[in-house]
Amino acid sequence: MSPGDTSTGRYRASGSHARVLAAWLAVATVGGLLASGCASGGVQGYSETLWREDMGRITRGTLEAGLDKMVRKYALRLDRQEEAARDLYYETAWTTRDVLAVEEAQGVTNARNRIVIQGRRLEAGVFRFNWELQNHVTTANTPEWHAHLIPPEVVEEYRPIYSDLMLEVRTGVRR
């Protein structure tokens, strides 16, 4: 019987086929582990086009007081604030920024960011909030705004806003 003979319902891989199959499985397993590790982000993380942080359990009033201070301190504009069933949603207006050199090399012609904060009610008055910094660009090939890789420099530019908001939230919880 040859290695590919299936007349008995069995298939035996030859040495080279077994090595190819083993190599393919190893690559698929490692690739899957890397992809799942990057995509999950855990408590904090970067998706390719945004920066996300788990802000934790916060009351609505505490978040809104902190957010109000950040809007004034950093001259942001709150564009949208919604409540639907168990969810709260806050969105700042898009803020245009200078295109970074690394983005220019990728053909980016314009860039903008906005902050989105979403909360899910856990119990009366307490929500689990998430911070998200979104990144959109235009390019010569795609002149409409679209999500794009977020450069680490942009994350660092917005980190003080997140840090100050979290400081306000933490001190607000203690009051």
Side-chain angles (χ1 to χ4, degrees):
M1 180 198 293
S2 68
D5 187 356
T6 57
S7 61
T8 61
R10 290 190 232 154
Y11 178 83
R12 292 182 322 202
S14 69
S16 65
H17 286 111
R19 283 190 299 277
V20 169
L21 179 60
W24 182 86
L25 285 173
V27 168
T29 301
V30 169
L33 288 173
L34 290 174
S36 67
C38 293
S40 68
V43 173
Q44 63 184 13
Y46 295 91
S47 172
E48 292 182 353
T49 61
L50 54 88
W51 166 40
R52 181 176 289 143
E53 294 279 349
D54 178 351
M55 298 175 70
R57 298 168 52 100
I58 307 167
T59 65
R60 178 182 189 168
T62 300
L63 177 83
E64 287 180 352
L67 188 56
D68 184 52
K69 287 180 182 178
M70 291 311 97
V71 164
R72 284 185 278 122
K73 181 177 181 178
Y74 291 97
L76 301 170
R77 191 178 88 224
L78 198 57
D79 235 14
R80 218 166 117 199
Q81 180 175 343
E82 293 181 4
E83 181 175 0
R86 300 174 48 194
D87 299 324
L88 295 175
Y89 181 89
Y90 306 87
E91 176 183 285
T92 66
W94 288 103
T95 303
T96 56
R97 62 175 173 78
D98 292 336
V99 175
L100 301 174
V102 68
E103 292 174 311
E104 256 185 303
Q106 298 167 348
V108 171
T109 53
N110 297 292
R112 67 182 187 179
N113 300 100
R114 75 173 171 192
I115 299 166
V116 173
I117 298 174
Q118 298 179 61
R120 180 78 161 184
R121 185 185 326 269
L122 300 174
E123 55 193 67
V126 179
F127 294 78
R128 173 161 296 282
F129 284 101
N130 288 300
W131 155 284
E132 194 173 277
L133 177 64
Q134 298 176 345
N135 189 60
H136 279 191
V137 301
T138 63
T139 62
N141 294 338
T142 311
E144 300 82 29
W145 289 105
H146 60 280
H148 191 265
L149 294 172
I150 188 166
E153 297 89 344
V154 173
V155 172
E156 292 310 311
E157 180 183 331
Y158 278 83
R159 192 172 301 282
I161 300 172
Y162 174 76
S163 296
D164 285 353
L165 176 58
M166 288 307 297
L167 181 63
E168 287 296 328
V169 165
R170 278 189 238 108
T171 56
V173 169
R174 291 186 192 125
R175 288 182 191 152

